[in-house]
Amino acid sequence: MDTASTSEPAEDLSVLTLDQLTAFAERPGRHRGELEGVREISALHAYRSEDGAGPAERRQWAKLSLRVNARLHGDGSWGQARMAQNDFMLRAWIIDHLGPDAQDPDWDPDVLAADTLAELALSPAEAGALGARWRALPAEQIGELRRLKNLTGHLDLIIGHLRPGRSRDELQEWLAVRPLLP
Protein backbone atom coordinates (compact mmCIF):
# COMPACT_ATOMS: atom_id res chain seq x y z
CA MET A 1 0.00 0.00 0.00
CA ASP A 2 1.28 3.49 -0.86
CA THR A 3 1.52 5.34 2.46
CA ALA A 4 1.90 8.70 0.74
CA SER A 5 -1.65 8.49 -0.64
CA THR A 6 -3.17 7.64 2.77
CA SER A 7 -1.23 10.11 4.88
CA GLU A 8 -2.54 13.54 5.73
CA PRO A 9 -1.38 16.12 3.17
CA ALA A 10 1.18 18.63 4.41
CA GLU A 11 -0.42 21.90 5.42
CA ASP A 12 0.94 25.12 3.92
CA LEU A 13 1.43 27.00 7.17
CA SER A 14 2.25 30.26 5.42
CA VAL A 15 -1.38 30.76 4.30
CA LEU A 16 -2.96 30.24 7.72
CA THR A 17 -4.44 33.12 9.69
CA LEU A 18 -3.15 33.94 13.16
CA ASP A 19 -6.00 32.01 14.77
CA GLN A 20 -5.52 29.03 12.46
CA LEU A 21 -1.77 28.93 13.02
CA THR A 22 -2.28 29.23 16.78
CA ALA A 23 -4.71 26.32 16.73
CA PHE A 24 -2.30 24.31 14.57
CA ALA A 25 0.57 24.93 17.01
CA GLU A 26 -1.54 24.03 20.05
CA ARG A 27 -2.65 20.64 18.72
CA PRO A 28 -1.00 17.86 20.74
CA GLY A 29 1.67 15.80 19.06
CA ARG A 30 3.27 18.50 16.93
CA HIS A 31 6.85 17.59 16.14
CA ARG A 32 9.82 19.93 16.33
CA GLY A 33 9.88 20.64 12.57
CA GLU A 34 6.25 21.73 12.54
CA LEU A 35 6.77 23.95 15.57
CA GLU A 36 9.88 25.48 14.02
CA GLY A 37 7.80 26.28 10.94
CA VAL A 38 5.17 27.99 13.10
CA ARG A 39 7.87 29.95 14.93
CA GLU A 40 9.44 31.16 11.70
CA ILE A 41 6.19 32.01 9.92
CA SER A 42 4.72 33.86 12.88
CA ALA A 43 7.96 35.81 13.33
CA LEU A 44 7.94 36.68 9.64
CA HIS A 45 4.41 38.08 9.98
CA ALA A 46 5.59 40.13 12.96
CA TYR A 47 8.51 41.54 10.96
CA ARG A 48 6.61 42.28 7.75
CA SER A 49 4.62 45.47 7.46
CA GLU A 50 3.69 44.94 3.83
CA ASP A 51 0.84 42.52 4.65
CA GLY A 52 -1.11 45.49 6.02
CA ALA A 53 -1.11 44.33 9.63
CA GLY A 54 -0.88 47.07 12.22
CA PRO A 55 1.42 47.09 15.26
CA ALA A 56 -1.09 45.33 17.55
CA GLU A 57 -1.56 42.42 15.14
CA ARG A 58 2.17 42.19 14.48
CA ARG A 59 2.74 41.95 18.23
CA GLN A 60 0.19 39.10 18.35
CA TRP A 61 2.14 37.26 15.65
CA ALA A 62 5.31 37.86 17.67
CA LYS A 63 3.63 36.49 20.83
CA LEU A 64 2.78 33.29 18.96
CA SER A 65 6.39 32.98 17.81
CA LEU A 66 7.63 33.48 21.38
CA ARG A 67 5.21 30.87 22.80
CA VAL A 68 6.21 28.28 20.22
CA ASN A 69 9.90 29.10 20.61
CA ALA A 70 9.66 28.34 24.33
CA ARG A 71 8.40 24.81 23.50
CA LEU A 72 11.01 23.99 20.88
CA HIS A 73 14.28 23.54 22.66
CA GLY A 74 15.71 20.99 25.05
CA ASP A 75 17.56 21.53 28.28
CA GLY A 76 21.06 21.46 26.77
CA SER A 77 23.13 24.64 26.76
CA TRP A 78 22.99 25.07 22.98
CA GLY A 79 19.23 24.52 22.83
CA GLN A 80 18.61 26.92 25.69
CA ALA A 81 20.92 29.52 24.14
CA ARG A 82 19.16 29.20 20.77
CA MET A 83 15.77 29.62 22.45
CA ALA A 84 16.96 32.70 24.33
CA GLN A 85 18.62 34.17 21.23
CA ASN A 86 15.45 33.75 19.14
CA ASP A 87 13.39 35.26 21.96
CA PHE A 88 15.74 38.20 22.51
CA MET A 89 16.11 39.04 18.82
CA LEU A 90 12.36 39.11 18.17
CA ARG A 91 11.57 41.07 21.32
CA ALA A 92 14.33 43.59 20.57
CA TRP A 93 13.15 44.02 16.99
CA ILE A 94 9.56 44.64 18.11
CA ILE A 95 10.73 47.15 20.74
CA ASP A 96 12.93 48.96 18.25
CA HIS A 97 10.52 48.98 15.29
CA LEU A 98 7.07 49.05 16.88
CA GLY A 99 7.99 50.77 20.11
CA PRO A 100 8.42 49.67 23.71
CA ASP A 101 5.47 48.90 25.98
CA ALA A 102 6.18 49.02 29.71
CA GLN A 103 2.80 47.33 30.36
CA ASP A 104 3.93 44.14 28.61
CA PRO A 105 7.14 42.49 29.83
CA ASP A 106 7.86 41.08 26.36
CA TRP A 107 8.08 44.60 24.93
CA ASP A 108 9.64 46.35 27.93
CA PRO A 109 13.31 47.06 27.11
CA ASP A 110 14.33 47.06 30.77
CA VAL A 111 12.81 43.61 31.27
CA LEU A 112 14.60 42.40 28.14
CA ALA A 113 17.85 43.84 29.50
CA ALA A 114 17.37 41.97 32.79
CA ASP A 115 16.48 38.75 30.95
CA THR A 116 19.59 39.12 28.82
CA LEU A 117 21.89 39.70 31.77
CA ALA A 118 20.39 36.68 33.55
CA GLU A 119 21.42 34.44 30.61
CA LEU A 120 25.04 35.59 30.52
CA ALA A 121 27.34 33.26 32.46
CA LEU A 122 30.34 35.62 32.46
CA SER A 123 30.86 39.29 33.11
CA PRO A 124 31.85 41.50 30.18
CA ALA A 125 35.38 41.75 31.64
CA GLU A 126 35.73 37.96 31.90
CA ALA A 127 34.36 37.43 28.39
CA GLY A 128 36.64 40.15 27.02
CA ALA A 129 39.73 38.63 28.60
CA LEU A 130 38.89 35.21 27.17
CA GLY A 131 37.82 36.67 23.86
CA ALA A 132 41.14 38.40 23.38
CA ARG A 133 42.82 34.96 23.26
CA TRP A 134 39.95 32.75 22.09
CA ARG A 135 42.02 30.91 19.46
CA ALA A 136 44.14 29.37 22.21
CA LEU A 137 41.15 28.15 24.24
CA PRO A 138 39.66 24.64 24.31
CA ALA A 139 36.69 24.08 22.01
CA GLU A 140 34.23 24.06 24.92
CA GLN A 141 35.27 27.56 26.04
CA ILE A 142 35.17 28.82 22.45
CA GLY A 143 31.62 27.47 22.24
CA GLU A 144 30.65 29.28 25.43
CA LEU A 145 32.06 32.54 24.06
CA ARG A 146 30.09 31.98 20.86
CA ARG A 147 26.90 31.46 22.87
CA LEU A 148 27.58 34.74 24.69
CA LYS A 149 28.06 36.53 21.39
CA ASN A 150 24.80 35.10 20.07
CA LEU A 151 22.95 36.01 23.27
CA THR A 152 24.04 39.64 22.95
CA GLY A 153 23.31 40.05 19.24
CA HIS A 154 20.23 42.18 19.90
CA LEU A 155 21.83 44.77 22.15
CA ASP A 156 22.30 47.42 19.48
CA LEU A 157 18.52 47.40 18.94
CA ILE A 158 17.57 48.02 22.57
CA ILE A 159 20.42 50.01 24.09
CA GLY A 160 18.85 53.33 23.07
CA HIS A 161 15.53 52.31 24.65
CA LEU A 162 16.99 51.53 28.08
CA ARG A 163 16.76 53.83 31.06
CA PRO A 164 20.11 54.96 32.45
CA GLY A 165 21.38 52.65 35.14
CA ARG A 166 23.40 49.57 35.98
CA SER A 167 21.77 47.26 33.40
CA ARG A 168 22.27 49.75 30.58
CA ASP A 169 25.88 50.32 31.62
CA GLU A 170 26.62 46.59 31.73
CA LEU A 171 25.01 46.00 28.34
CA GLN A 172 27.09 48.85 26.90
CA GLU A 173 30.14 46.96 28.16
CA TRP A 174 28.86 43.86 26.36
CA LEU A 175 28.53 45.85 23.15
CA ALA A 176 32.21 46.77 23.44
CA VAL A 177 33.23 43.13 24.15
CA ARG A 178 31.20 41.46 21.36
CA PRO A 179 33.77 42.15 18.59
CA LEU A 180 36.37 40.20 20.60
CA LEU A 181 34.21 37.08 20.75
CA PRO A 182 34.39 34.30 18.17
Side-chain angles (χ1 to χ4, degrees):
M1 180 195 261
D2 180 7
T3 57
S5 62
T6 61
S7 66
E8 186 178 319
E11 222 169 324
D12 181 359
L13 301 179
S14 67
V15 299
L16 299 180
T17 66
L18 176 62
D19 290 339
Q20 291 169 330
L21 198 59
T22 300
F24 176 88
E26 291 174 356
R27 279 187 220 138
R30 290 289 171 218
H31 61 76
R32 177 173 255 131
E34 290 172 318
L35 292 174
E36 183 64 26
V38 171
R39 185 196 67 76
E40 290 176 1
I41 288 166
S42 55
L44 181 64
H45 281 290
Y47 291 134
R48 291 178 39 189
S49 60
E50 60 269 10
D51 0 347
E57 185 178 346
R58 291 169 69 191
R59 280 189 170 100
Q60 288 178 315
W61 281 107
K63 287 279 192 181
L64 175 57
S65 184
L66 293 173
R67 283 193 312 271
V68 171
N69 183 56
R71 293 174 39 202
L72 269 172
H73 307 287
D75 293 333
S77 60
W78 281 103
Q80 288 297 302
R82 184 170 188 265
M83 179 180 63
Q85 178 189 6
N86 286 336
D87 181 288
F88 295 165
M89 288 301 290
L90 180 56
R91 290 168 63 195
W93 191 93
I94 293 291
I95 289 167
D96 191 51
H97 288 82
L98 301 181
D101 180 355
Q103 303 306 309
D104 186 328
D106 287 333
W107 319 134
D108 183 331
D110 293 309
V111 172
L112 179 52
D115 291 347
T116 302
L117 290 169
E119 285 292 321
L120 304 175
L122 299 176
S123 71
E126 292 167 323
L130 290 171
R133 57 184 185 87
W134 71 266
R135 285 179 177 82
L137 297 174
E140 186 176 294
Q141 279 188 303
I142 294 170
E144 179 57 30
L145 292 176
R146 187 67 193 164
R147 281 190 289 276
L148 293 171
K149 187 171 190 171
N150 291 341
L151 288 168
T152 56
H154 63 286
L155 296 183
D156 58 332
L157 294 175
I158 66 161
I159 203 77
H161 296 281
L162 296 173
R163 292 189 305 245
R166 184 174 166 260
S167 292
R168 186 176 197 271
D169 293 345
E170 192 170 346
L171 291 178
Q172 293 242 229
E173 291 177 45
W174 275 106
L175 277 172
V177 166
R178 283 192 86 246
L180 298 174
L181 303 178

